[in-house]
Amino acid sequence: MRPLHNFLFTRDASMTLWDEILIGKMASRVREREALIMEAIFKCHPAFGIKTINPAIHTGYLGSFPNATIEGGDVLIASENILVVGTGSRTSTQGIDYLIEVIKAKKTSLKHIIVQELPDSPESFIHLDMTFTFLDKNACMVYDPLILKNNKFHTIHISIENGKVTGIKQQKNIIKALNSIGFNLDPVFCGGKHDPWIMEREQWHSGANFFAFAPGKVIGYERNDYTLEEMSNHGFEIICASDLIENKVNLDDYQKL
């Protein structure tokens, strides 16, 4: 079998969606095998045995979505009733439609989807998590020019309740949309606040692409000096991976890192 280099990016091919696993419908054919393997693992491995939702094969009563693509880098879980989803080169608008139908079919209490439109280029904008990620229960990392500044890329708030779409409205940005439903976040700025060239360079180097493994505890790239300085200014302890590997630090000793 040909090697699967992109399988390094494990959250693209599958996402936890409440009590089920949403299998990614990858935008590039070269990554289709990743989705097949992830579905096999979650459905068949005795450690899981969990129900999967797969837009590539599970249409049926949800309808047909031939152009739907969904990748996990675009799907962020804000809370039990809020999803933040990016749409651009990797997750299509029909992929958003598929997500809406999945939620409608469950006929649950009020759910919110905040949709953020992304540029098609350059490739540093392939996923929402390249511009916006959660750092803590009340903090997020943002690439300011796209997420907060005025621009042509829309932010849409979709409400779904008891099997029906109950509202679709445009919002100024993700932060404002989340604030409007009681989810308040303080933004931390990728590349700092002062130099747009530094902000752009560090976004290109995945400066906004953090992975939270616990509230206030995140993994990111050490090359983005100004982003790390901004994190430090917001109370995050900066720890080198080598110090962790060599048991020089204990992560339980820190609240934010």
Side-chain angles (χ1 to χ4, degrees), residues 2-4 48 50 61 69 71-72 91 102 127 129-130 140-141 166 175 205-206 210 223 247 254:
R2 299 185 309 280
L4 290 169
F48 297 103
I50 193 170
Y61 64 92
T69 57
E71 295 189 4
T91 295
V102 167
H127 289 139
D129 67 9
M130 295 292 285
C140 60
M141 174 62 63
T166 56
I175 304 294
H205 284 290
S206 305
F210 284 88
R223 60 185 175 234
N247 294 317
Y254 303 91

Side-chain angles (χ1 to χ4, degrees), residues 22 50 55 71 83 112 122 149 152 203 246:
L22 174 63
I50 193 170
E71 295 189 4
L83 302 180
H112 303 276
K149 289 287 192 296
K152 66 180 182 179
Q203 188 277 329
E246 295 169 8

Side-chain angles (χ1 to χ4, degrees), residues 155-227:
T155 305
I156 305 297
H157 176 191
I158 302 169
S159 304
I160 305 169
E161 188 170 15
N162 295 325
K164 296 181 180 179
V165 174
T166 56
I168 301 176
K169 59 184 176 182
Q170 186 168 337
Q171 294 276 10
K172 186 174 182 180
N173 56 55
I174 293 175
I175 304 294
K176 294 285 187 183
L178 291 170
N179 286 349
S180 72
I181 48 180
F183 195 98
N184 298 311
L185 290 171
D186 293 324
V188 180
F189 295 90
C190 173
K193 300 179 181 179
H194 307 296
D195 189 326
W197 291 101
I198 291 173
M199 295 160 70
E200 183 175 348
R201 183 173 69 245
E202 295 208 350
Q203 188 277 329
W204 175 265
H205 284 290
S206 305
N209 186 229
F210 284 88
F211 177 79
F213 61 92
K217 299 183 178 184
V218 302
I219 301 170
Y221 294 98
E222 67 177 349
R223 60 185 175 234
N224 297 303
D225 295 331
Y226 290 86
T227 301

Side-chain angles (χ1 to χ4, degrees), residues 91-197:
T91 295
S92 64
T93 53
Q94 201 170 99
I96 305 291
D97 291 339
Y98 178 80
L99 272 178
I100 291 171
E101 293 303 317
V102 167
I103 296 171
K104 283 169 59 179
K106 294 181 180 297
K107 298 183 178 180
T108 61
S109 58
L110 182 61
K111 305 290 185 187
H112 303 276
I113 304 178
I114 311 299
V115 179
Q116 176 62 51
E117 187 180 12
L118 301 170
D120 288 330
S121 62
E123 65 179 18
S124 61
F125 292 105
I126 55 172
H127 289 139
L128 178 63
D129 67 9
M130 295 292 285
T131 64
F132 176 93
T133 43
F134 290 106
L135 304 175
D136 204 342
K137 292 179 179 179
N138 60 354
C140 60
M141 174 62 63
V142 303
Y143 177 56
D144 186 38
L146 177 70
I147 299 301
L148 297 180
K149 289 287 192 296
N150 291 330
N151 56 63
K152 66 180 182 179
F153 300 102
H154 298 116
T155 305
I156 305 297
H157 176 191
I158 302 169
S159 304
I160 305 169
E161 188 170 15
N162 295 325
K164 296 181 180 179
V165 174
T166 56
I168 301 176
K169 59 184 176 182
Q170 186 168 337
Q171 294 276 10
K172 186 174 182 180
N173 56 55
I174 293 175
I175 304 294
K176 294 285 187 183
L178 291 170
N179 286 349
S180 72
I181 48 180
F183 195 98
N184 298 311
L185 290 171
D186 293 324
V188 180
F189 295 90
C190 173
K193 300 179 181 179
H194 307 296
D195 189 326
W197 291 101

